Each structure stands twice: as C-alpha cells, then as structure tokens.
Amino acid sequence: MSAPLRLGTRRSALAMTQSQMVADAVSAASGRAVELVPIVSEGDVNRASLSQLGGRGVFANGLREALAADRCDFLVHSLKDLPTLQPEGLVIAATPAREDARDVVVTRDGTPLGALPPGSRVGTGSPRRIAQALRHSPRVDIHDIRGNVDSRLARVRDGELDAVILAAAGISRLGGDLGGLHAEELGLAEWPTAPGQGSLAVETRADIDPEILAALAQLDDEDTRVAVTAERTVLSALDAGCSAPVGTHAAIADGDLRVRAIVYALDGSRRIGIDRTVRLTPGYGGETGSGNGADAADDGGSMTRATRLGREAARRLLERGAADLVPRESTT
C-alpha cells in the first residue's frame, strides 16, 4: 500500500477546513490517503499589523520551506496570501473552482456600512479594506485587527466592535454560521477584493512524482486559473505588495475575460480605476470572436491573454497616477 500523501497547511480553523476539502478531493483522484501536516507560518506568530508586514509572503514562506525540505508533498494556500513571484522549484499544480470572491460587513443588527453612525468601530487589518471603508463611510473609526474568523466575529458579538469586514469565502467554508450576526454583501463592481480572493492554490515541487502532479491537476478549474492570473498580473505589474490597497476582480462570461481594478490612497481619499475586457482564445467556452481592450488578435492562449490583459490594466492605472498611491514592494 502506498504511503499517505502529506498536505502542508496552516493551523487555523479555516486553513485546516479548506485543506481537508482539498485532501478529500486529492484522495478521491489519486486513490491514496492524504494526511494533514500543520505548519506554523510567520503570519501566525507575528502579531504586527498587516500593513507593517507588507507583501513578504508571511503566510506562505514557512509552508514553502517545509515543502522544499520534503516535510510534506504539497500545500494548500489561500491564493490572496501568495506573493506573485513564484519560487524556483515550486509550481502551482491546481487552482480549484473559486468560492465567493466578495467581502462582507458583519454587524449585530444588519446596519449597512454606509449607514453606520459616525464613530462606529469597524475592524479590519487589510489596508485595502481600510481604504475602501473610509471612502465608503469616512466617519467610521477603523480598528486595525488580526485574528481568526471566530475571534473577529466575537468582538462584534461582545460589543467591542460595531462591524468587521471579512471574506465571504472564509465564512462559507467554515459553515456560514454567524451566531446571530448579520452580513452585508459588498458588490465586486464597487468593492473589488484582493487578487485571488476566494481561490485556493495547490502548490507542490516541480520534481514531484508525475502521478501525484497528475492527481493534483484534476482539481484545477480553468476559468478560475485564467481569472486569477489576470488579477495577480495587475498586482505584479504595479509592483505592489500583497497587502497593498489594490482591489482587482476578473471574471469570464460568454468567452470574454473582464478585469476591474481600483487603486486606493491609504486613507481612502483618492481612487484610480480601470475596466478592461479581452476575448479569450477562439473556442473558449464555445465562443469565437475578436478582442476588445487588450490585444486579443494574436494566437496566444487564454493564459497568455489573461496575462496581457492584467499588464495592460496595470499600465493604464500607472498612466493615470497609480504609482503615487501604491506602496512599492519588490518581493511581491
């Protein structure tokens, strides 16, 4: 009998839950048992603000070191936490179908973010969410917080905070129980989220057994991979860190890939946005046609076009002054 495959994961309840989902799928695809290997990341022990930690891969580096050292066979990441620069010797073997990419505002009584009274205490550790919240409701009092989903919800339930901003996907993967609290879903057109939000990334060594690589590849969802490639290319081309105040969302409809991206001033006082569409490879999704926006007239594949669309979106943002708003991060 083959030895169990080892899946490296962070120790949080959300990480363990989503890793177990992947473990079950890999086991079904490979016919081999999969065991979870909990690993502590820098982001789990360093309680500094996310704005201070920046885009240094603090939630990924420890896991990647364990993978490179053969302490596990593959990893599961929340894709939004991954730096855009892929380490040598490691590959993203699969991006499973994306969950809900939206953010939600959780309150005790269901009051929308825009209707919260002046001075209301809103908790989030994300510079992007801070900028968006201040732009949406400039008179709220932002509290820079860290912690898992349950601890953040408890701070609202106990009255320490009036609201917290969370990823809808994380709540869903944990079962969706808010314990009597209320969630306001924020539309992606006006409130784009972090590149890759709602997506998982299954990462392994480039020299892993081809049978394992093939089993992991069965989890891949092409639409998700194409969309998140466009989103993450925007971030990379802006030379911005993973925690930069940049919201980006891409989606495929009727053979078109559309990306919306907004760069914010940290205090929410300014924003610069772009909305671009490209036709994907002829035949993608059963459609054919020529492009609109980024160059879609070449014979490149869908991934190539997604990358070009992301680069063009970033170029247009920079032309409009985004460089003045985005903290530069050379290790994205």
Side-chain angles (χ1 to χ4, degrees):
M1 179 180 295
S2 299
L5 297 174
R6 301 162 298 166
L7 189 168
T9 175
R10 291 173 58 197
R11 295 174 179 266
S12 72
L14 176 57
M16 296 287 283
T17 297
Q18 60 196 24
S19 292
Q20 188 60 59
M21 293 166 51
V22 171
D24 293 342
V26 172
S27 182
S30 66
R32 295 175 61 175
V34 178
E35 61 183 23
L36 300 188
V37 180
I39 299 167
V40 176
S41 70
E42 179 186 352
D44 295 322
V45 295
N46 188 333
R47 306 313 297 172
S49 166
L50 288 178
S51 60
Q52 295 175 337
L53 291 174
R56 297 184 288 114
V58 294
F59 295 111
N61 290 342
L63 278 70
R64 285 173 159 174
E65 290 168 3
L67 180 61
D70 195 27
R71 289 167 46 201
C72 54
D73 300 304
F74 64 102
L75 306 170
V76 173
H77 305 280
S78 290
L79 186 55
K80 67 182 179 64
D81 295 332
L82 278 189
T84 55
L85 181 63
Q86 187 63 26
E88 184 176 355
L90 301 183
V91 295
I92 302 298
T95 51
R98 172 147 56 181
E99 272 265 13
D100 192 338
R102 292 175 296 181
D103 279 340
V104 296
V105 178
V106 180
T107 59
R108 286 184 296 279
D109 60 4
T111 301
L113 176 62
L116 288 174
S120 295
R121 297 156 296 178
V122 178
T124 176
S126 159
R128 169 188 59 81
R129 289 172 178 155
I130 292 171
Q132 288 174 317
L134 289 173
R135 185 167 185 86
H136 194 75
S137 189
R139 293 183 294 176
V140 300
D141 181 13
I142 299 294
H143 287 243
D144 191 345
I145 63 171
R146 296 283 306 279
N148 60 35
V149 172
D150 285 342
S151 68
R152 296 186 191 204
L153 294 176
R155 294 173 76 168
V156 176
R157 196 174 295 113
D158 296 344
E160 180 182 346
L161 296 172
D162 298 301
V164 291
I165 307 173
L166 301 171
I171 294 173
S172 175
R173 288 177 180 138
L174 287 172
D177 183 9
L178 295 177
L181 300 177
H182 301 266
E184 174 195 6
E185 297 169 340
L186 302 171
L188 289 165
E190 284 300 313
W191 191 288
T193 50
Q197 182 159 312
S199 303
L200 301 178
V202 181
E203 188 173 42
T204 189
R205 294 184 297 277
D207 62 357
I208 200 76
D209 184 332
E211 291 188 5
I212 298 176
L213 192 63
L216 299 180
Q218 292 187 45
L219 279 64
D220 194 62
D221 179 78
E222 184 179 10
D223 281 6
T224 297
R225 182 180 283 268
V226 170
V228 300
T229 294
E231 295 169 12
R232 285 166 58 78
T233 300
V234 173
L235 190 68
S236 176
L238 288 173
D239 192 22
C242 301
S243 62
V246 178
T248 307
H249 182 70
I252 297 170
D254 299 325
D256 289 335
L257 173 65
R258 181 178 185 179
V259 63
R260 298 182 180 93
I262 302 177
V263 179
Y264 300 87
L266 289 169
D267 62 0
S269 60
R270 291 181 59 199
R271 56 170 265 177
I272 299 170
I274 192 73
D275 188 335
R276 303 292 288 173
T277 300
V278 69
R279 196 63 149 174
L280 293 175
T281 306
Y284 191 102
E287 299 290 337
T288 61
S290 59
N292 169 28
D295 180 14
D298 60 57
D299 60 357
S302 296
M303 291 292 290
T304 298
R305 294 184 180 182
T307 300
R308 290 181 178 176
L309 178 62
R311 288 175 180 163
E312 181 185 345
R315 178 176 63 80
R316 295 296 183 96
L317 289 167
L318 291 170
E319 288 175 350
R320 297 177 183 182
D324 297 332
L325 305 182
V326 178
R328 314 300 282 207
E329 178 59 68
S330 59
T331 56
T332 303

